Amino acid sequence: MERLTARTQLHDSIHSPAYDRQALRPGIVHIGLGAFHRAHQAVYTDAALAHAFGNWGIVGVSLRSREIAHDMQAQDCLYSVVARDRSGDSIGVVGSIIEAIAASEDGEAVLARLADPAVHVVTLTVSEKAYGIDPVGGGLDHAHPAIASDLKSPTRPTGAIGYLTEGLARRRDGGQRPFTVLCCDNLPSNGRIVRRLVIEMAEMRDPALAAWIAENVSFPCSMVDRIVPAATAETRARAERLLGVEDRLSIEAETFSQWVIEDDFVSDRPAWEAGGALFVKDVEPYEKMKLRLLNGSHSLIAYLGQLQKLEFVRDVMGVAENVALVRRHMQAAVRTLDPVPGIDLARYMDQLVERFANPAIAHRTLQIAMDGSQKLPQRLFQPAVDALSSGSDGAEFAFATAVWIAFIRQADTLDDPRSGELLKAAADAGQAGDETASFFAIPGLFPRELQANRAWRDRVNSLLKSLR
Ligand code: CS2
């Protein structure tokens, strides 16, 4: 079967790049070439280029997978996105990525791009666990393999923070302006977190570099949203049917998409608003809304689904009792939020229920269930602290926590960077008559306010009992 490349004649009904890709030069480096980036930032950049052409080609860097980079290279970096909902499928080919590098094969090529003053923005989607955040202190986790390696060999980095730090060091040494670092992962105040980690890493090698970064580099926060399940053989077969050629990089996603970005760039940026991005002064209300309503409910759905042996999010939402639990959770979570400019939260929640129930999206509960230790602090635990401090009993958050612990207790293996500690906590459960004490004792997992709240912990214990 012929592969999708720049020479493929696409049918007129297929949305394709409306600009001259031959003339496009790199202006963005993106770290983390997975499905989410390809269905989100790359699509906004595609729209920005069609709206106002400029040198905003994306250099896509894959830190782990070599295969993605090779597949991209074999397809001239073209790939399709199928937007799916009840009303059907619509396919578009995205052209904004113009180069793909597997960092483990050619780290120097990545660093050369980061050092190139034509690159104005470095965006990231590497997932929560890849940053190497110390769960207790919030700074650099020196035990994280990539952090440890990058502290030892700073000029030959392997992880996201190492690449950013060495890239910025080369800019400074070359007398160049820095790039803007735009984190697009589901972390609270994500830009602030990455700024702290980069400055800490720089400090370890050269305090003057750290000072230069603190003074000159901006790390805007952003909220990103689009449900993008991992691609399957079915995704690729569908793309082939719609395109008439093979596309090994095709992804499917919901039609909904949102991007809210703190307007704080050190130099130029693409006109992402052409794709619908919103530039604001303060991203926090949007990000809390999304983390607590969407992602918090998503985690609840994922663990409910795992306990009930339901494979996809839409299956969980096919059971009325589950929908009621999700709505109840959202009602509790929304009370922890401040008003969000321009957003009707009641409508937002209704829309979430619709999105989760989307029959055309096969989103595995097991996919969302992974990395709970990295996700739940911002999705469930901090909101629980806020709920308790405003006089609520935090029962809904205790329920979601109990569902997670029940999931761990019935698991043989866990896909989580703290799986060892979590499985040990499950094995030690019930000591001293307290079902969950071993979980609450894991360092930096639960906030102190929850660890110290006997009533809330008793609630988690009794809910856990009632789940069995
Ligand atoms: C999900 C997210 O896997 C997960 O943890 O909750 O990836 C979610 O689909 C996205 O944040 C939606 O924007």
Side-chain angles (χ1 to χ4, degrees):
M1 185 74 179
E2 189 193 325
R3 285 284 281 275
L4 172 66
T5 66
R7 288 177 311 284
T8 308
Q9 287 291 323
L10 293 167
H11 193 268
D12 287 347
S13 63
I14 298 167
H15 183 274
S16 46
Y19 46 89
D20 182 4
R21 285 189 85 225
Q22 290 289 328
L24 191 53
R25 299 287 168 269
I28 301 170
V29 169
H30 180 81
I31 305 181
L33 205 39
F36 188 78
H37 170 67
R38 305 207 305 278
H40 194 275
Q41 298 91 30
V43 174
Y44 284 83
T45 307
D46 201 61
L49 287 166
H51 170 81
F53 189 79
N55 283 330
W56 294 116
I58 300 172
V59 176
V61 175
S62 161
L63 287 182
R64 288 173 314 141
S65 161
R66 296 180 175 202
E67 203 186 337
I68 292 185
H70 296 168
D71 280 338
M72 284 295 256
Q73 289 153 5
Q75 297 188 181
D76 300 322
C77 295
L78 288 169
Y79 64 92
S80 60
V81 178
V82 182
R84 314 199 68 210
D85 64 20
R86 284 170 207 278
S87 62
D89 291 346
S90 88
I91 186 163
V93 169
V94 179
S96 53
I97 303 179
I98 55 172
E99 194 179 320
I101 312 173
S104 57
E105 279 172 359
D106 199 353
E108 242 341 283
V110 177
L111 291 169
R113 283 306 190 193
L114 291 173
D116 180 353
V119 167
H120 293 274
V121 185
V122 176
T123 51
L124 300 118
T125 52
V126 292
S127 88
E128 297 90 338
K129 67 181 163 211
Y131 288 96
I133 308 167
D134 174 12
V136 179
L140 276 185
D141 176 2
H142 291 243
H144 186 279
I147 300 293
S149 160
D150 295 353
L151 286 172
K152 222 171 103 204
S153 320
T155 57
R156 293 203 345 267
T158 57
I161 300 300
Y163 271 106
L164 291 172
T165 309
E166 174 62 10
L168 288 167
R170 291 194 184 190
R171 288 285 177 112
R172 174 171 169 262
D173 295 348
Q176 307 288 353
R177 275 205 300 209
F179 44 76
T180 296
V181 179
L182 180 56
C183 176
C184 302
D185 276 293
N186 286 321
L187 289 161
S189 300
N190 52 11
R192 310 277 180 278
I193 292 181
V194 177
R195 179 176 194 273
R196 175 171 174 190
L197 298 176
V198 169
I199 291 176
E200 267 188 37
M201 185 170 281
E203 188 77 44
M204 309 280 299
R205 55 192 276 189
D206 174 7
L209 173 63
W212 182 82
I213 294 173
E215 178 80 6
N216 296 289
V217 184
S218 75
F219 296 79
C221 292
S222 84
M223 179 271 256
V224 294
D225 189 9
R226 189 170 194 184
I227 291 174
V228 187
T232 62
E234 213 175 302
T235 314
R236 287 181 280 274
R238 183 179 304 112
E240 192 168 311
R241 265 195 321 273
L242 294 167
L243 290 170
V245 288
E246 183 186 13
D247 175 5
R248 287 195 203 157
L249 292 158
S250 183
I251 37 184
E252 57 187 83
E254 63 174 341
T255 49
F256 182 94
S257 182
Q258 196 174 28
W259 196 6
V260 184
I261 307 166
E262 183 182 1
D263 201 355
D264 180 20
F265 287 73
V266 292
S267 57
D268 289 354
R269 60 157 178 88
W272 282 317
E273 47 278 80
L278 185 65
F279 286 87
V280 299
K281 258 187 93 162
D282 183 12
V283 173
E284 194 175 308
Y286 299 90
E287 148 222 303
K288 272 194 178 163
M289 165 187 85
K290 196 258 171 171
L291 283 171
R292 296 179 177 197
L293 292 175
L294 188 154
N295 296 113
S297 308
H298 233 182
S299 291
L300 171 63
I301 292 169
Y303 300 121
L304 283 173
Q306 285 296 302
L307 292 183
Q308 299 170 11
K309 304 209 175 354
L310 295 171
E311 189 177 5
F312 299 115
V313 171
R314 63 181 181 210
D315 303 336
V316 179
M317 297 302 281
V319 179
E321 290 79 22
N322 291 334
V323 177
L325 288 170
V326 169
R327 284 206 179 265
R328 196 184 70 131
H329 183 83
M330 285 187 196
Q331 285 304 336
V334 78
R335 286 195 290 272
T336 71
L337 300 178
D338 294 324
V340 188
I343 301 225
D344 173 348
L345 289 169
R347 204 174 147 257
Y348 181 80
M349 293 188 286
D350 286 340
Q351 208 180 10
L352 283 181
V353 171
E354 276 278 307
R355 290 171 64 194
F356 293 151
N358 186 345
I361 293 290
H363 201 182
R364 290 212 149 74
T365 52
L366 191 59
Q367 186 187 345
I368 302 164
M370 92 184 180
D371 296 346
S373 70
Q374 312 295 300
K375 294 172 175 174
L376 300 192
Q378 55 275 17
R379 296 180 181 202
L380 298 181
F381 306 153
Q382 197 50 48
V385 170
D386 292 351
L388 289 162
S389 77
S390 67
S392 149
D393 60 13
E396 297 79 4
F397 301 103
F399 176 74
T401 303
V403 175
W404 177 53
I405 292 177
F407 160 75
I408 296 171
R409 291 181 62 167
Q410 53 113 61
D412 300 323
T413 59
L414 268 190
D415 197 344
D416 191 303
R418 303 191 81 177
S419 61
E421 291 163 277
L422 292 169
L423 290 170
K424 179 164 188 315
D428 293 349
Q431 279 175 5
D434 182 338
E435 281 297 300
T436 57
S438 51
F439 286 92
F440 280 89
I442 295 177
L445 180 60
F446 288 97
R448 249 184 270 288
E449 294 90 330
L450 297 183
Q451 284 176 318
N453 190 324
R454 194 61 259 171
W456 193 78
R457 287 177 53 173
D458 286 342
R459 212 175 257 289
V460 174
N461 287 349
S462 70
L463 287 164
L464 185 60
K465 228 175 253 154
S466 72
L467 282 170
R468 282 214 227 104

